[in-house]
Amino acid sequence: MSIVQKPYKLIVLLLVLMFGLVGCSTTKENVDGKEKVEKEEINELIVARKADAGNIDPHFISSNPTANYVYGKVYESLVSRDKDSNYIPALAEEWSQIDDLTWEFKLRKDVKFHDGSDFNAEAVKQVFDRLLDEKTASPRAVVFSMLKEVEVKDDYTAVLHLNNPFSALLSVLASSEGSIISPKAFNEGGVDLSINAVGTGPFKFESWKPGQEMILLRNEEYWGTKPSFEKLTYKVVPEESTRVAMVETGEAHVADQLPVTELNRVEGSSSMSVLRTEGFGVEYIGFNVEKEPFTDVKVRQAIAHAIEKDAIIKGVYNSVGSRVASALAPKVVGFHDGLKDFPYDVNQAKNLLKEAGFPNGFKTTIVTDDRKERINLAEVIQSQLKGIGVEVEIQVLEYGVYIETLSEGKSEMYIGGWGNATGDADYNQYNVFHSSSAGPVGNFSFYKNPVVDKLIEDARKEPNEEKRMELYAELQEIELEEAPLIPIRTLEHLSVTAKGIDQVWMNPVGFFFFE
């Protein structure tokens, strides 16, 4: 099988009609040769971000919000995806699958890293050698566990040899984990990649004041079309209404992670627009299936029957996102649209609890992080489960403590979500349901089923796309029935832009791209 793509080029960013914004100058422009209108040329684009970045070394990035600071801006990968999630060339101009275990990538010849060193096949080899080296101890190495080695066929041809067939290879290459880092930066020392970034992208890393701001500058030697603005500044602004106000008053051009509680305010504004993208992820209620009474599938099914999803999506999420019965969102490759969800049925829920030995219900706790929407969801779950005699205590934790609590199996019920960084079913299935992922990797339910494990392993090796989809359909049927978690809604990413900033877009992971 051979896949050949045309070179990928970015479109020049036109940022217009932003009168009074930081870093703007005014020019005149003819419209249809008849009248002149004001056009603003922006030299500095300001993005208000909810959270600061963590470790920005792609081999150690632990969250999508952190990856969003540098991926597609400072760092690029061999393969990328367009607005429709189709694979397109990036640092590789074309590629071909030689056999089940061998993929060949023809690389661009006009690329340099930001430190002036050459991008070539040897650089690709060194990057993946570093990722897989046990001494590196990268938590992201598991994503490329199928990779045996990278062969340098010639200066601009890299051959990836796999340990086993892996049908989702392009999806991980096109993710943040596939970022190509300058080998000079990590080989020669002097550059701490946890707080600096050296890639090939349209922006160069300039500076970072933790908790305050990060600045990226336009890469004047970029191989593709350069951004129209010179400076990209991220401002760390945790308070949600403040981020919105910054866009409203002209202090910022973009604000990320718009809460649904602010949606109506932005939609009714004359100076702001909502940027929304259907995501790859799903939000859900999870159970620690190793803790009583959630060891019993009937208890989990009872709660599934007692949760009124439609009311939650409308009341808690302001109809943002859509109801789903699978841990895979509809945009993810492998989504099974034939699932029949648990109907809302309080009587059936009570009968199942009685069969499980809890005719009068029981007491439990639900853990959530401190996002307003999730706290509201926890309160609604608490209210709905009272109807079947289940008393729920809510524990609201700071995000870091929340992740630690789930990773260590200290929760009973929890509110969670999986953003899916690749858009392929394997990313969800292996991380959320495979027994080897129990704990910090993502299987916070500590769910273990040998049949599910084998199906996941078979699906990631299956070269026939139709058969692969059948395996994922079977997996989703089992996971629905056994209910280690209850999917609530698909994630929909919401951000705010100033009027006229209509060529900043988000992909289904929630990453910003500046055309």
Side-chain angles (χ1 to χ4, degrees):
M1 177 178 66
S2 177
I3 308 169
V4 179
Q5 304 280 358
K6 295 181 180 179
Y8 170 53
K9 291 190 175 182
L10 300 176
I11 303 171
V12 178
L13 173 64
L14 300 175
L15 299 170
V16 297
L17 303 178
M18 291 300 301
F19 192 73
L21 287 170
V22 178
C24 297
S25 62
T26 304
T27 62
K28 295 289 185 178
E29 183 180 73
N30 287 321
V31 178
D32 297 329
K34 296 180 180 179
E35 67 177 303
K36 292 185 176 181
V37 295
E38 297 293 326
K39 177 182 177 180
E40 302 300 329
E41 296 178 350
I42 296 174
N43 293 321
E44 178 184 14
L45 188 77
I46 298 176
V47 181
R49 300 290 309 274
K50 177 178 180 178
D52 197 7
N55 186 331
I56 57 173
D57 183 334
H59 294 170
F60 291 87
I61 287 176
S62 60
S63 70
N64 287 339
T66 289
N68 198 6
Y69 274 87
V70 291
Y71 182 68
K73 297 88 174 170
V74 178
Y75 289 118
E76 298 176 294
S77 46
L78 297 179
V79 181
S80 186
R81 301 179 94 160
D82 63 16
K83 289 182 178 180
D84 297 318
S85 298
N86 299 310
Y87 295 111
I88 56 175
L91 294 177
E93 290 184 310
E94 59 185 72
W95 55 87
S96 58
Q97 184 175 358
I98 308 303
D99 56 44
D100 286 351
L101 300 177
T102 313
W103 292 69
E104 184 176 274
F105 293 82
K106 296 289 186 179
L107 309 180
R108 296 191 62 87
K109 298 178 181 178
D110 55 350
V111 179
K112 284 188 177 292
F113 288 102
H114 299 155
D115 57 14
S117 59
D118 292 330
F119 165 76
N120 51 33
E122 179 60 32
V124 173
K125 174 177 171 55
Q126 290 190 44
V127 169
F128 285 106
D129 284 351
R130 176 184 188 254
L131 174 61
L132 298 177
D133 190 340
E134 292 183 358
K135 294 180 182 178
T136 303
S138 166
R140 311 315 303 155
V142 64
V143 177
F144 282 95
S145 60
M146 85 301 293
L147 181 59
K148 181 179 180 180
E149 64 177 348
V150 177
E151 172 195 352
V152 178
K153 187 173 180 179
D154 60 46
D155 285 351
Y156 294 99
T157 305
V159 181
L160 274 59
H161 296 280
L162 309 185
N163 292 306
N164 49 262
F166 186 68
S167 299
L169 181 65
L170 292 180
S171 73
V172 294
L173 286 174
S175 70
S176 174
E177 286 91 344
S179 296
I180 302 299
I181 309 165
S182 166
K184 180 180 178 181
F186 59 74
N187 282 334
E188 297 185 8
V191 178
D192 183 349
L193 289 171
S194 70
I195 56 174
N196 292 275
V198 186
T200 60
F203 294 96
K204 291 183 176 181
F205 178 88
E206 173 67 14
S207 63
W208 180 15
K209 295 179 181 178
Q212 298 181 50
E213 68 177 21
M214 183 184 294
I215 296 175
L216 309 179
L217 300 180
R218 181 169 63 195
N219 176 13
E220 300 298 344
E221 289 77 41
Y222 184 54
W223 61 266
T225 303
K226 291 185 283 292
S228 64
F229 56 94
E230 298 176 359
K231 186 177 182 180
L232 174 59
T233 299
Y234 298 113
K235 298 283 188 180
V236 181
V237 186
E239 213 289 315
E240 292 165 341
S241 61
T242 302
R243 289 199 306 280
V244 176
M246 288 177 69
V247 177
E248 192 170 33
T249 60
E251 294 179 72
H253 305 89
V254 182
D256 75 349
Q257 297 191 52
L258 173 68
V260 296
T261 52
E262 297 283 341
L263 182 59
N264 292 341
R265 170 188 173 186
V266 176
E267 288 182 331
S269 169
S270 60
S271 61
M272 298 182 289
S273 299
V274 178
L275 182 64
R276 57 197 305 170
T277 301
E278 183 182 352
F280 287 145
V282 168
E283 200 153 25
Y284 50 77
I285 306 300
F287 306 102
N288 184 334
V289 300
E290 291 186 336
K291 288 195 174 183
E292 297 284 355
F294 303 114
T295 53
D296 192 327
V297 66
K298 289 183 178 180
V299 171
R300 305 195 298 267
Q301 291 174 344
I303 291 177
H305 278 296
I307 292 177
E308 192 172 5
K309 293 184 183 182
D310 293 335
I312 288 172
I313 293 168
K314 183 178 180 180
V316 175
Y317 293 106
N318 199 10
S319 298
V320 173
S322 56
R323 176 174 178 158
V324 68
S326 169
L328 301 180
K331 290 181 74 71
V332 173
V333 174
F335 171 74
H336 177 31
D337 61 2
L339 293 175
K340 294 183 179 180
D341 203 359
F342 289 98
Y344 176 62
D345 189 333
V346 172
N347 289 330
Q348 178 65 4
K350 289 179 178 179
N351 289 336
L352 285 166
L353 283 184
K354 185 176 181 180
E355 291 174 18
F358 297 95
N360 300 315
F362 56 86
K363 294 182 180 180
T364 188
T365 59
I366 189 166
V367 172
T368 181
D369 62 67
D370 52 6
R371 276 175 276 184
K372 288 181 181 178
E373 295 158 13
R374 287 193 169 181
I375 295 172
N376 292 344
L377 174 58
E379 291 171 347
V380 172
I381 295 297
Q382 181 186 55
S383 175
Q384 290 184 352
L385 295 188
K386 279 183 180 179
I388 60 171
V390 176
E391 296 183 31
V392 180
E393 177 187 346
I394 299 171
Q395 295 182 348
V396 179
L397 304 176
E398 180 273 329
Y399 187 75
V401 179
Y402 157 82
I403 291 295
E404 182 180 321
T405 299
L406 268 56
S407 298
E408 295 178 357
K410 294 179 180 178
S411 64
E412 294 178 356
M413 293 179 63
Y414 64 92
I415 294 174
W418 195 257
N420 193 321
T422 68
D424 190 275
D426 179 75
Y427 196 85
N428 284 72
Q429 289 296 317
Y430 202 87
N431 288 286
V432 178
F433 295 105
H434 197 280
S435 61
S436 67
S437 300
V441 175
N443 180 357
F444 298 137
S445 293
F446 292 81
Y447 174 66
K448 298 174 183 177
N449 182 328
V451 174
V452 167
D453 282 357
K454 187 175 187 307
L455 286 169
I456 291 172
E457 292 159 9
D458 289 346
R460 61 180 3 198
K461 297 175 184 177
E462 177 55 60
N464 182 287
E465 193 70 5
E466 184 176 345
K467 291 180 180 178
R468 189 167 177 254
M469 296 304 102
E470 290 173 358
L471 292 171
Y472 284 129
E474 185 176 353
L475 277 163
Q476 289 165 80
E477 294 280 0
I478 294 171
E479 291 154 5
L480 176 65
E481 179 69 18
E482 297 200 340
L485 53 84
I486 303 170
I488 300 293
R489 63 152 192 157
T490 57
L491 292 178
E492 187 174 1
H493 304 290
L494 301 179
S495 293
V496 187
T497 64
K499 291 287 187 184
I501 307 296
D502 57 0
Q503 289 178 293
V504 177
W505 62 282
M506 289 187 297
N507 72 0
V509 184
F511 290 174
F512 288 120
F513 289 88
F514 306 99
E515 294 182 338

